[in-house]
């Protein structure tokens, strides 16, 4: 995303360089308009994909940036060494800091402030932590360790998630200059200074090959880590570095007309990648090779001079966008994510407001903040400052007490303030004219509330659900939205270590299950709950409903669906422990023969190994559940299929500064869903009982509220809060009694 040379009009190589036969070849000098245009292509692809989801492979723009950055920075270091015989690390890192830190810090600070204005405290605090990691160029590892799905760039994404790529670049540049200096120094001492690029090229080739191989391994084993990992991405920057090292050789081979063919071929590969590459494919390795090789070809095509017939890249509009690309990249994602908390996303108003705000902030920050500081003498030693020249180039003012630091002068300050006010005005106008989310199905809801009391817990609860759907103002919630991040609200059962493969659990999952007993441990009747974290989130309700007279055993494992399918970890890595747990749990339960087996778990299509898309994943889950149901049927005297609660909108995401309760209602489209249908089918095919839980949380034609009777329904998008699980205990009792009257009628 960043570089030094393209901002100053310099090229990575200039003048003549010796070729292999002693003939001097002409290397392109002056600005590389084609590279600036390529930067514009890269940033526009990223912005388009993040904002609209089209083209679906627009995220490859980041890979284009990596190649450009590797090429330009390596060229700078080579030229410095060939000119002076050394590499000044202090100068290099001063330039990087002056180029990167001011604009990045501005965006980080503005985003953190914006998050506190629109998000609940818990999420705003998380964004603040993200900002700290991003400031120290470690954001990629924060997001990787959290199993972040980069491709789910929706309103619930961190507005600073895009800083991962900046972290990758800077981590690379903490190491690469030192390796180059080592290689060039060794060659110089060996008396081979005129071949000073050879060892650097050989070393970078080894790094590229090694990184590509590691990236392939990581993509297959841990896709989330592979996406964010510097080691899995170094080959992309390294290919750009190899181009810089080989520039004199390439300039002797590629003429301007040949360069046009090479550049157009590369541009075609990039465009093809934007439409052919998708999240379901192996990324970054091997499919990132498409845009990476394409970018390398575009750059290589111009080493002997800007090729003809390349107007789509070299026109003034594209080169200007290339100038703005760093600022645009920094601002676009915070605007997209934060604005989605204030306006209905995927609407014309949202798209127009997002484009207007990110454009105003980009242009303003570039001309009034980023560029003046970039051309200032900040961080330069006193002996090298050229104050008059700096004043002419940036018209900046010196900060008192900070020698050499120049910030935008009066005119720039006025324009900057005007730009910020214009952006705020755009947001304010958009919020003012945005239609407020309306309560749907009001007549149906009021009819439910007015209906005579039927004497059942379910009937009374339905009135509470209808009232929640009619709410136009936020009630006092207990627990509050800010408390939803606490373990005692989300998963108090984790304190008991009763979810296998989770922190605090016994390393032996079967031993773990045997010790996790709730209710009356000496009761004559035993109920075994088999499932995953969704299953264990039902345990407070089951314990509240039956704990007085039943022994309740918990046989659950983290992210381990009951369906017989091969699943992966959240980050895409292998998860053979799940299959082992399912097999061992069935064997142990069969030997125990509980009175009632409660089967309850999620079926996450993203975890199905080898699935080709969501539809295929759900099909495999359905088949796997049918197979599992046949094996589970003889284990207990009675089996009950208790499906997961319908998914909803997490209050921590939808409860924003401008939201009304209707904004946190999950609409009925797509409910209850294919996994729910598979649960019902598994019960019917094996003669088991099925408990329909959708009416407990939703009104069919209206939707599912985020809270009922002042209690948040879910701690996230799927898991019940502990208080809500206990609140629906009477419904669980009635549901089980209706499904198995011969067991629970009493």
């Amino acid at each position: 995303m960043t570089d030094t040379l393209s901002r100053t009009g310099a090229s990575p190589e200039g003048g003549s360089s010796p070729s292999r036969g002693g003939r001097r070849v002409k290397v392109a000098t002056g600005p590389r308009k084609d590279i600036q245009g390529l930067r514009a292509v890269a940033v526009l692809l990223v912005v388009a994909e993040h904002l609209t989801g089209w083209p679906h492979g627009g995220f490859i723009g980041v890979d284009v940036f990596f190649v450009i950055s590797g090429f330009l920075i390596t060229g700078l270091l080579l030229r410095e060494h060939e000119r002076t015989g050394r590499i000044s690390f202090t100068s290099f890192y001063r330039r990087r800091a002056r180029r990167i830190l001011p604009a990045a810090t501005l965006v980080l600070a503005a985003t953190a402030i914006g998050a506190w204005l629109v998000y609940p405290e818990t999420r705003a605090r998380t964004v603040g932590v993200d900002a700290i990691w991003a400031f120290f160029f470690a954001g990629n590892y924060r997001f990787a360790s959290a199993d972040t799905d980069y491709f789910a760039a929706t309103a619930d994404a961190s507005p600073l998630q895009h800083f991962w790529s900046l972290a990758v670049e800077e981590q690379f540049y903490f190491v690469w200059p030192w390796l180059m200096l080592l290689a060039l120094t060794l060659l110089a001492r060996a008396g081979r200074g005129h071949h000073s690029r050879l060892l650097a090229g050989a070393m970078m080739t080894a790094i590229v090959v090694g990184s590509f191989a590691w990236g392939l391994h990581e993509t297959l084993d841990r896709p989330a880590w592979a996406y964010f990992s510097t080691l899995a991405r170094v080959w992309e920057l390294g290919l750009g570095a190899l181009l810089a090292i080989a520039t004199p050789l390439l300039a002797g081979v590629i003429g301007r007309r040949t360069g046009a063919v090479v550049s157009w071929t590369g541009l075609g590969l990039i465009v093809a990648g934007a439409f052919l590459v998708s999240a379901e494919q192996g990324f970054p390795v091997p499919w990132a090779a498409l845009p990476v090789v394409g970018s390398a070809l575009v750059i290589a095509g111009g080493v002997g001079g800007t090729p003809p017939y390349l107007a789509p890249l070299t026109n003034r509009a594209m080169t200007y966008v290339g100038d703005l690309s760093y600022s645009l990249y920094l601002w676009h994602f915070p605007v997209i994510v934060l604005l989605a908390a204030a306006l209905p996303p995927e609407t014309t108003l949202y798209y127009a407001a997002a484009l207007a705000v990110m454009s105003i902030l980009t242009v303003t920050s570039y001309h009034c903040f980023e560029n003046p500081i970039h051309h200032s003498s900040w961080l330069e030693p006193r002996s090298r400052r050229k104050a008059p020249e700096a004043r002419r180039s940036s018209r900046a003012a010196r900060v008192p007490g900070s020698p050499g630091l120049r910030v935008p002068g009066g005119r720039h300050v006025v324009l900057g303030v005007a730009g910020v006010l214009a952006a705020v005005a755009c947001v304010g106008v958009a919020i003012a004219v945005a239609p407020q989310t309306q309560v749907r199905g009001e007549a149906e809801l009021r009819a439910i509330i007015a209906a005579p009391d039927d004497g059942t817990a379910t009937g009374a609860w339905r009135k509470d659900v209808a009232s929640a759907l009619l709410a136009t103002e936020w009630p006092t919630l207990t627990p509050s939205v800010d408390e939803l991040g606490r373990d005692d609200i989300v998963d108090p059962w984790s304190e008991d270590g009763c979810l296998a493969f989770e922190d605090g659990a016994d390393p032996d999952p079967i031993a773990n299950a045997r010790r996790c007993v709730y209710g009356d441990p000496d009761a004559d009747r035993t109920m075994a709950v088999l499932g995953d974290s969704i299953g264990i989130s039902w345990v407070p309700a089951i314990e509240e409903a039956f704990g007085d007279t039943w022994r309740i055993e918990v046989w659950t494992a983290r992210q381990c669906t009951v369906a017989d399918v091969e699943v992966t970890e959240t980050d895409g890595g292998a998860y053979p422990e799940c299959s082992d747990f399912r097999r061992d749990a069935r064997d142990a339960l069969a030997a125990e023969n509980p009175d009632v087996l409660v089967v309850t778990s999620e079926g996450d299509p993203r975890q199905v190994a080898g699935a080709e898309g969501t539809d295929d994943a759900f099909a495999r889950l359905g088949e796997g559940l049918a197979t599992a149901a046949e094996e589970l049927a003889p284990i207990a005297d009675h089996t009950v299929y208790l499906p997961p609660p319908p998914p909803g909108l997490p209050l921590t995401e939808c409860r924003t500064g401008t939201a009304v309760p209707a904004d946190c209602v999950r609409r009925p489209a797509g409910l209850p869903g294919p996994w729910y249908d598979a649960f019902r089918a598994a019960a019917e095919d094996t003669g088991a009982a099925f408990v329909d839980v959708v009416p407990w949380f939703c009104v069919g034609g209206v939707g599912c509220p985020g809270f009922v009777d002042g209690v948040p329904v879910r701690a996230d998008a799927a898991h019940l809060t502990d208080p809500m699980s206990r609140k629906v205990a009477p419904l669980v009792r009635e549901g089980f009694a209706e499904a198995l009257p011969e067991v629970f009628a009493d």
Side-chain angles (χ1 to χ4, degrees), residues 528-608:
V529 179
L530 177 66
D532 55 7
S533 61
I534 293 293
I536 204 173
S537 73
W538 278 116
V539 169
I542 294 172
E543 180 188 22
E544 197 90 2
F546 305 111
D548 291 344
T549 56
W550 285 77
R551 172 187 170 90
I552 301 169
E553 299 179 356
V554 179
W555 298 72
T556 57
R558 172 183 57 83
Q559 297 175 342
C560 186
T561 178
V562 295
D564 268 336
V565 294
E566 182 184 352
V567 296
T568 64
E569 294 274 14
T570 305
D571 65 358
Y575 189 19
E577 295 87 354
C578 176
S579 298
D580 295 341
F581 172 78
R582 283 196 300 253
R583 182 191 63 245
D584 295 342
R586 289 173 192 168
D587 292 343
L589 285 168
E592 182 178 311
N593 186 223
D595 297 284
V596 172
L597 175 66
V598 180
V599 181
T600 172
S601 82
E602 182 61 277
D604 188 345
R606 296 172 300 177
Q607 285 187 261
V608 179

Side-chain angles (χ1 to χ4, degrees), residues 315-567:
N315 67 80
R316 184 65 190 110
M318 289 295 282
T319 56
Y320 180 64
V321 174
D323 292 340
L324 301 176
S325 59
Y326 180 47
S327 280
L328 178 55
Y329 184 83
L330 291 179
W331 282 112
H332 85 283
F333 205 62
V335 169
I336 289 171
V337 176
L338 294 177
L339 205 57
L343 295 173
E346 300 183 7
T347 62
T348 301
L349 178 64
Y350 168 74
Y351 292 139
L355 288 172
V357 172
M358 73 175 69
S359 297
I360 292 171
L361 291 177
T362 294
V363 173
T364 300
S365 65
Y366 173 74
H367 287 289
C368 300
F369 187 80
E370 174 193 339
N371 209 35
I373 293 179
H374 178 210
H375 290 91
S376 75
S377 57
W378 180 45
L379 298 180
E380 291 291 339
R382 187 178 300 275
S383 61
R384 297 183 59 183
R385 291 180 199 144
K386 298 179 180 180
E389 180 180 340
R391 278 195 295 270
R392 286 195 299 272
S393 63
S394 66
R395 299 182 183 275
R398 189 182 302 276
V399 175
S402 301
L405 175 56
R406 296 176 174 278
V407 297
R411 180 170 64 88
H412 285 139
V413 170
V414 171
L415 292 175
V417 171
V420 171
L421 293 177
V424 172
C426 282
V427 175
V429 170
I431 293 174
V433 303
Q436 189 178 59
T437 305
Q438 299 296 314
V439 176
R440 301 182 183 183
E442 184 174 350
E444 179 183 357
L445 297 175
R446 296 199 181 281
I448 293 174
I449 296 172
D453 190 351
D454 62 4
T456 66
T458 302
W461 181 255
R462 293 276 291 165
K463 295 177 183 291
D464 290 335
V465 174
S467 297
L469 288 167
L470 281 172
T472 57
E473 296 183 357
W474 289 97
T476 300
L477 298 178
T478 306
S480 69
V481 174
D482 290 328
E483 291 177 304
L484 292 180
R486 286 171 24 193
D487 286 346
D488 61 330
I489 299 300
V490 181
D491 52 359
W493 27 266
S494 68
E495 297 177 3
D496 299 335
C498 289
L499 188 63
F501 312 125
E502 191 66 273
D503 292 342
D506 192 301
D508 181 350
I510 302 304
N512 194 66
R514 292 194 186 283
R515 71 172 179 80
C516 288
V517 177
Y518 294 87
D520 182 359
D522 300 320
D524 295 333
R525 297 183 295 180
T526 299
M527 182 186 302
V529 179
L530 177 66
D532 55 7
S533 61
I534 293 293
I536 204 173
S537 73
W538 278 116
V539 169
I542 294 172
E543 180 188 22
E544 197 90 2
F546 305 111
D548 291 344
T549 56
W550 285 77
R551 172 187 170 90
I552 301 169
E553 299 179 356
V554 179
W555 298 72
T556 57
R558 172 183 57 83
Q559 297 175 342
C560 186
T561 178
V562 295
D564 268 336
V565 294
E566 182 184 352
V567 296

Side-chain angles (χ1 to χ4, degrees), residues 120-180:
E121 181 182 346
T122 301
R123 189 177 180 190
R125 192 184 307 116
T126 299
V127 173
V129 175
D130 292 342
I132 294 172
W133 281 78
F135 180 81
F136 289 102
F137 305 119
N140 58 328
Y141 289 112
R142 170 166 171 78
F143 296 125
S145 63
D147 294 330
T148 301
D149 183 1
Y150 172 83
F151 302 105
T154 58
D156 61 344
S158 168
L160 298 175
Q161 184 173 295
H162 64 313
F163 269 76
W164 74 269
S165 57
L166 192 60
V168 168
E169 283 195 10
E170 298 317 306
Q171 288 163 20
F172 177 75
Y173 292 128
F174 284 144
V175 177
W176 176 229
W178 297 89
L179 292 178
M180 279 193 61

